[in-house]
Amino acid sequence: SCTNYNPADFVSYVNGFKNYVVANKPDIITLQLGENGSESVKADIYAKVMAQVINGIKEVAPDAIIVISAPFWSAETSGKVVGTYKAAEECGIYVAPVYTLGQGAWDGSNPNMAFNAPWVTANTSNGVKAHPGDEGMDNIAKMFFEKVNYTLSTSDKIKYTTIPESIERIVASAFFDCN
């Protein structure tokens, strides 16, 4: 249980993330914690852990784009989802709402789950089939891409010293007949 939360408990966990980031130098980091953990975690505790990981990563990769998500099967009112949004707000980053894709019955009616995947057999358990299938993985990628793209477009750090040719042509055509 996380009721007796102690930030020091997660130092080695955070250090593991930091070491990975230092070794691999990613420009874009997507982060999701607690997929197979308890759904009864409190939002404040989840937010503190998530923020601790994010801030640890930001220490070693201050220019990296970080987008987080709550687990695929989490309910909108769960501590994980609420905590994810709290951490994102505190850390100034965006949330890819992956949890919205895992909602619904585990009966094959959710196209984001793998119930109808070509590899599913009569022996495949419902727990395996409830994981994201091809359509679900495609939608997860699109959610993360949307948030990464938005972050890039709102925080462009590139300063052009020369206007790229295509932009120059568009600007010039607005004033001159360039055809």
Side-chain angles (χ1 to χ4, degrees), residues 43-178:
D44 288 343
I45 293 170
Y46 191 84
K48 285 178 185 176
V49 172
M50 183 68 93
Q52 189 175 14
V53 172
I54 294 163
N55 289 328
I57 291 170
K58 282 183 165 188
E59 284 176 21
V60 295
D63 294 328
I65 293 170
I66 303 172
V67 177
I68 61 175
S69 74
F72 182 74
W73 298 288
S74 293
E76 186 171 6
T77 57
S78 73
K80 290 179 183 179
V81 172
V82 174
T84 296
Y85 279 95
K86 288 176 90 168
E89 183 177 354
E90 176 185 324
C91 297
I93 61 175
Y94 295 102
V95 175
V98 169
Y99 68 93
T100 61
L101 301 174
Q103 304 305 304
W106 287 23
D107 61 2
S109 63
N110 182 337
N112 293 300
M113 294 182 183
F115 277 89
N116 301 313
W119 51 264
V120 169
T121 68
N123 296 325
T124 306
S125 75
N126 281 348
V128 170
K129 292 186 278 190
H131 282 77
D134 290 346
E135 187 172 340
M137 294 305 288
D138 184 56
N139 287 328
I140 290 169
K142 287 175 181 172
M143 286 181 162
F144 274 105
F145 178 79
E146 175 189 1
K147 298 304 179 182
V148 168
N149 195 39
Y150 183 79
T151 303
L152 285 170
S153 67
T154 58
S155 61
D156 189 0
K157 296 177 183 167
I158 297 171
K159 302 291 184 224
Y160 292 104
T161 56
T162 304
I163 298 175
E165 183 180 330
S166 60
I167 295 174
E168 188 174 295
R169 189 171 314 180
I170 292 169
V171 171
S173 67
F175 298 101
F176 308 104
D177 182 11
C178 293

